[in-house]
Each structure stands twice: as structure tokens, then as C-alpha cells.
Amino acid sequence: SQTIHQWPATLVQPVGSPLSLECTVEGTSNPNLYWYRQAAGRGLQLLFYSVGIGQISSEVPQNLSASRPQDRQFILSSKKLLLSDSGFYLCAWNPMSSYEQYFGPGTRLTVT
Amino acid sequence: GQNIDQPTEMTATEGAIVQINCTYQTSGFNGLFWYQQHAGEAPTFLSYNVLDGLEEKGRFSSFLSRSKGYSYLLLKELQMKDSASYLCAVRVLRAGNNRKLIWGLGTSLAVNP
């Protein structure tokens, strides 16, 4: 069966510090991968998606970046965090043959 | 533009039936999803509709009318554990055959004993 992992589960970082969130998927190959952010009182905002290794599409201009160094690994990064980067970060995947997206457990980021 | 509307909050009683509505104005419609999200947790998939009509899955059913830009999620025999946020999402087709999910803000359902 397929499993999606995210870490860390929670993170408190000062403004201006770097960020690295990792997501891995097990039990499948060549998944589509997504990074979302859910801020308090707001809907899910798609940040990046990837259809393959090294292929990243950005949805919203911001100080975040994403990379996909391996087929089942997706990384979200920032060089300098802003207060507005606080939120619940969710990684999701869907197999090429399926419609629904499956979400990882999420990382709750608080920027202080 | 792309827009999805859902009620912000709803309240219902244990054992009852509740209907959560979702209206959308999008271009390139390619399916509608319902997800359940408990507080502090990730969303989990509930249902998918791409054709008009009702899809039933246990206590949950989802309906779609593409001509009206309307869907609803029907929850029967409500249980306390159904207290959660219910997210409506529309998949749209974009240039280059890319697909994207547009998400509503969610409906927070409180089930009371």
C-alpha cells in the first residue's frame, strides 16, 4: 500500500531563518506531487506541483521554492522566512491513473 | 475567475441528516471532490463526481449538477465523529492538459448529541 510521510510535524522558526520541509511517498512510482499551505481561516493554497524528477511548477510567487531530487521525494524550502509563511503545510500525491489526491500528515509551521 | 462557495458553519444533531452545499464558477470543469478534515489533521478523500447525478458511498452521498454549477454532500445517520470541516474542490483543465484543484474554504460541521 502507498504511504506518504512528512517531517517535521511541527516547527517554530524565527523570521529570516531558512526552512526545509521534506515529503516522501512509499509504495508507488512516478506520482504527481503537490505542496499546499493552509493558513488560519483560509482555504488550501497550491504552492508547487511536480509531475516528475526535476520538474517543478510554481503556482504563487513567493519566497518559497521546491525541489524533487528523487522520484518519491519532494522538498519545500525557503532562504528567509517571513511571518506570513506561518501555516499548515501539506504534501499530497496522486498516481498518474487516479483522480483523488492523498495528503500527508502535514507540518505546522509557526514563524516568530 | 475561479470561485467556490460553501457555507462557513453548520450544526446538526447526532442521528440526523445534513446536506452541505457547494456552488462553483469555474472554467474547464473536470470533476468535483469532497474531502473531510478534522481539526489539526490533513484532509481525507470522501467522494468524486464528474458526471451529473448522485454517488453513494455508505453514509455519505455526493450530488453534482454541472449545468447549475452545484454540488452537495449528504451525510446520513450523523455521528459525533463526523464533526469536521468539509472541503469542496473543483478540478479544472488548463493549457497543456494540466489539471489543478480549486479549493473552497470549507464548511465546519458541528454534530451535537
Side-chain angles (χ1 to χ4, degrees):
Chain A
S1 63
Q2 298 86 9
T3 310
I4 180 168
H5 302 278
Q6 277 187 253
W7 62 90
T10 60
L11 192 59
V12 180
Q13 292 283 100
V15 168
S17 64
L19 173 73
S20 181
L21 303 180
E22 188 164 343
C23 169
T24 59
V25 181
E26 294 179 355
T28 187
S29 58
N30 199 28
N32 292 332
L33 295 172
Y34 308 83
W35 276 113
Y36 287 92
R37 177 172 59 205
Q38 189 175 38
R42 301 184 65 179
L44 281 166
Q45 180 185 34
L46 179 63
L47 302 175
F48 301 94
Y49 71 92
S50 171
V51 297
I53 295 174
Q55 300 179 61
I56 309 295
S57 295
S58 174
E59 288 292 313
V60 181
Q62 57 210 319
N63 68 321
L64 299 171
S65 62
S67 62
R68 185 169 177 176
Q70 301 180 44
D71 180 45
R72 289 169 289 179
Q73 184 184 31
F74 206 21
I75 297 172
L76 183 70
S77 304
S78 174
K79 293 182 179 178
K80 288 186 178 182
L81 284 169
L82 307 172
L83 283 175
S84 58
D85 291 324
S86 294
F88 191 37
Y89 287 81
L90 291 157
C91 181
W93 75 281
N94 71 274
M96 297 292 286
S97 60
S98 180
Y99 302 115
E100 61 263 31
Q101 292 182 10
Y102 300 94
F103 287 84
T107 295
R108 190 161 302 281
L109 171 67
T110 304
V111 182
T112 61
Chain B
Q2 316 275 35
N3 192 51
I4 296 179
D5 290 309
Q6 315 178 225
T8 304
E9 296 179 338
M10 297 184 71
T11 303
T13 304
E14 192 175 15
I17 299 173
V18 70
Q19 178 175 312
I20 302 174
N21 296 325
C22 171
T23 58
Y24 61 91
Q25 301 87 38
T26 62
S27 56
F29 177 85
N30 193 236
L32 186 143
F33 297 80
W34 283 97
Y35 280 78
Q36 180 190 60
Q37 186 177 24
H38 285 99
E41 299 181 7
T44 55
F45 169 77
L46 289 178
S47 69
Y48 170 68
N49 295 70
V50 67
L51 300 175
D52 291 351
L54 188 68
E55 294 281 342
E56 297 187 75
K57 190 183 294 185
R59 292 189 300 116
F60 293 3
S61 303
S62 56
F63 172 83
L64 174 67
S65 169
R66 289 172 295 171
S67 63
K68 296 182 179 178
Y70 168 68
S71 174
Y72 68 73
L73 180 70
L74 193 70
L75 292 75
K76 303 176 185 176
E77 301 170 14
L78 279 173
Q79 302 175 9
M80 299 297 290
K81 67 178 182 179
D82 296 330
S83 293
S85 183
Y86 291 85
L87 309 177
C88 174
V90 172
R91 190 170 68 167
V92 297
L93 273 174
R94 302 190 297 181
N97 206 30
N98 289 325
R99 294 170 177 81
K100 175 183 177 179
L101 283 180
I102 310 294
W103 293 84
L105 296 182
T107 298
S108 180
L109 174 66
V111 180
N112 298 320

